[in-house]
Amino acid sequence: QVQLVESGGGLVQPGGSLRLSCAASERTFNTYIMAWFRQAPGRAREFVSAMTWSSDFTTYGDSVKGRFTISSDNAKNTVYLQMNSLKPEDTAVYYCAAKAGSFHSIPGRYGSWGQGTQVTVSS
């Protein structure tokens, strides 16, 4: 399984921006789904966004559409999540995940996970 390492989390004020990074230990096939999930205390892990390395597919959860953007730098085996107009309800641990095959928004379908990075949106 590919190893994933997230970075870029932190404390930001409402309305601010952060960019998360997910570095993969190796380049997976172009058809691999690279995804971001998040989990707030006491809540289930929630789908945020996903893409393929080939960038021919991207999708977003309803709560982040229009505010978050997923992208990749294939030369660096890195996927990014640009988060703008952050709200307190975006506060969570953000996880990077990878899977082969078709897209799923269900966390249990993903075989590779990073350790997570904390994002806190507060004034």
Side-chain angles (χ1 to χ4, degrees), residues 5-118:
V5 179
E6 303 97 332
S7 61
L11 173 64
V12 63
Q13 293 186 342
S17 298
L18 278 176
R19 189 178 78 159
L20 306 183
S21 299
C22 171
S25 59
E26 60 188 84
R27 173 68 183 280
T28 57
F29 294 111
N30 283 343
T31 55
Y32 255 58
I33 300 295
M34 301 298 297
W36 289 95
F37 290 81
R38 66 186 182 186
Q39 189 166 20
R43 302 191 67 175
R45 196 162 293 191
E46 174 191 17
F47 170 73
V48 175
S49 183
M51 68 178 296
T52 53
W53 284 112
S54 60
S55 301
D56 60 354
F57 169 81
T58 59
T59 187
Y60 297 90
D62 288 341
S63 61
V64 306
K65 282 180 181 176
R67 300 189 298 122
F68 291 10
T69 303
I70 192 170
S71 63
S72 67
D73 183 335
N74 292 0
K76 296 181 178 179
N77 293 348
T78 300
V79 175
Y80 303 99
L81 185 68
Q82 177 67 43
M83 306 185 296
N84 298 329
S85 302
L86 283 162
K87 306 174 182 179
E89 51 263 43
D90 294 317
T91 296
V93 177
Y94 283 71
Y95 296 92
C96 180
K99 70 177 296 293
S102 58
F103 166 71
H104 277 284
S105 63
I106 300 172
R109 296 285 189 167
Y110 289 76
S112 296
W113 289 87
Q115 82 289 350
T117 185
Q118 176 71 46

